[in-house]
Each structure stands twice: as structure tokens, then as C-alpha cells.
Amino acid sequence: MFLENLGIDATDPVRLGRFWEAALGTTTLTAEPDIVETRLDLDGTAYLDLCFVRVPEPPTSPQRLHLDLRGGEQQQEVAARLRELGAGDLDIGQGEVPWIVLADPEGGAFCVMEDREEFVGTGPIAALPLDSSDPERDADFWAWLTGWVEVAGQAPRSLRHPSLRGPLLSLYPEPAPKAPEAKNPIHLDVRLEPGDDADEIAEQIVERGGRELRHDWGDLPWRVFKDPSGNEFCVLPVPAVSA
């Protein structure tokens, strides 16, 4: 398996997708009214797709996963460019911090980060901070699920693609437990590889503290799960073989 997507809820996927595409310099894969997919290349062989999918109402659940963008020495310039693209300043009670908190055109919070050694070589997305009720446990879970490896960082536990390129997946203590009925506005998707058995993977997810989510979202080609802290993620099928 490998981490393939960031799934992002949007009332206007085209508008939100175009903002993030311009912000990150990604490449369009799909551009339709109900879904926009754009690809962030990590190292020429690995990638991370951002998938903006239409939802009927603006998300109201707290963001347990968000994007930290690399700012570094150009932090102020990066933030200014994002404001020109349609971002706005956002006060979430952060107080005096070295990073800049902004909102995308649909109000989703993200940060432009100060210079940190851990962000060398990440590209435009420095980190993906994820709320966890137990960062030690959940880092082990996500390392198994994605194949990402342990790296140093300011979070209790951080993971990164084995190439050591691209963003960190940073596990932070959650400010509050996830409500059972809440749905994360942003989630992660992993892709099965040839030879993976979907049912065996599902059993191993449960053995490691996750669970499969029974939903009313219709007939989907992927399966939806929750990690041990209740964060949703999807397991996508093995890619179709081209003729």
C-alpha cells in the first residue's frame, strides 16, 4: 500500500481546486464540476494527489488534518501570494506563533510555516498535521499503512515517504476527542498495490485498532475506514492494468 491522496470536501471543487493548484504548482488530472484532482510530484517517482470532491453543505466538523505550507525565509512573501490567490487571514486563537494561519476560499484553515530544519526538501507542503488520541500508537498504525518511515520533527511522532522527499505526516495530541458523527473535511487515502488482498488488509486494519465504516454514501469502488483515533481514510483498489 502507499499513501496516494488527500481527499478534501468542497462545495465548489473547481474554485477550491484551482486555488490549491495555483498555491502548490500541481498538475491537473481531472477537472469536472463535482471533482477536481491535481498531482503534487514528490521525487519523480512518488506523488501525492489532492482530490476535491463536491459536498452539499460547507464542512462544519473541526479540521483534524490540515496543510502546513513551507514558508521558510520567504514566509511573508508566500503568505502574500496566497492572499492574492484568494486566501484570508484567520484567527483560531493561535496567539503569538511563528507561523501564519490563513483560510482557503472555502474557509479551511492552513498554515504557512517558519523555517525549520525538518522541512528541508519537502516541497510546497511541509507537513500534514493529524490529530491523534495517542500519537505513539497512531504513528505505528500509519507507518504500517503507508510504508512511510520515522523522521525527526517537532511533533511527538513524524513520518515521511521513504525517499525523504515530500511532506511530513505529523501526529499531534488531539485538542478534543473526535465526535462519532463528525466527518473530517480532509482525509487521507491509501492505494492497494498488486498482490494486496483487500479483505486481508481490512482484517489487519481492525487488528491494529482501526475499523471499517458502514456508510450511506452509495456504492463506492473503495472501502472507508477509521484509524484508532477515529480519523477517516479510504483504501483504494489496485490500479487497473492498461491494455
Side-chain angles (χ1 to χ4, degrees):
M1 293 175 290
F2 60 95
L3 180 58
E4 179 169 286
N5 294 341
L6 276 173
I8 302 173
D9 291 348
T11 57
D12 186 342
V14 173
R15 180 189 183 208
L16 192 59
R18 291 307 184 209
F19 167 81
W20 280 107
E21 194 162 76
L24 302 175
T26 52
T27 303
T28 304
L29 299 177
T30 305
E32 299 176 0
D34 290 337
I35 182 170
V36 170
E37 298 175 290
T38 187
R39 177 160 292 178
L40 176 66
D41 180 72
L42 297 182
D43 70 345
T45 59
Y47 60 87
L48 184 64
D49 292 345
L50 285 75
C51 301
F52 303 88
V53 181
R54 185 180 298 278
V55 294
E57 302 290 340
T60 57
S61 299
Q63 283 183 239
R64 292 173 58 87
L65 175 68
H66 69 271
L67 280 67
D68 281 348
L69 304 192
R70 189 175 180 192
E73 295 180 355
Q74 287 76 46
Q75 182 188 44
Q76 294 297 330
E77 292 87 344
V78 171
R81 186 177 73 87
L82 292 165
R83 293 185 187 103
E84 292 176 355
L85 293 173
D89 288 278
L90 184 63
D91 185 350
I92 56 174
Q94 67 267 25
E96 293 294 327
V97 293
W99 53 86
I100 299 170
V101 183
L102 299 176
D104 66 29
E106 293 205 356
F110 67 97
C111 301
V112 181
M113 304 303 292
E114 76 282 8
D115 191 30
R116 293 187 191 178
E117 184 177 354
E118 65 199 81
F119 296 153
V120 171
T122 63
I125 303 178
L128 302 168
L130 179 64
D131 288 354
S132 166
S133 60
D134 185 337
E136 291 291 334
R137 175 200 64 200
D138 289 352
D140 291 341
F141 177 88
W142 282 99
W144 166 77
L145 192 65
T146 63
W148 285 24
V149 298
E150 183 92 13
V151 292
Q154 293 192 15
R157 294 282 300 275
S158 293
L159 305 173
R160 200 172 184 185
H161 187 272
S163 68
L164 301 184
R165 307 294 295 179
L168 282 67
L169 178 61
S170 300
L171 284 297
Y172 283 96
E174 60 188 14
K178 185 175 184 292
E181 71 280 2
K183 177 178 180 289
N184 288 0
I186 304 177
H187 68 271
L188 301 172
D189 294 337
V190 296
R191 172 76 70 178
L192 297 178
E193 296 183 276
D196 288 335
D197 183 283
D199 290 331
E200 289 182 3
I201 295 298
E203 291 177 2
Q204 293 180 50
I205 288 171
V206 173
E207 290 172 0
R208 287 171 167 81
R211 68 180 181 88
E212 189 158 6
L213 180 63
R214 306 303 174 184
H215 57 79
D216 57 359
W217 303 334
D219 187 18
L220 302 174
W222 52 82
R223 294 166 72 167
V224 184
F225 296 84
K226 290 189 176 185
D227 75 4
S229 290
N231 298 304
E232 295 91 355
F233 66 94
C234 298
V235 176
L236 310 178
V238 175
V241 178
S242 300

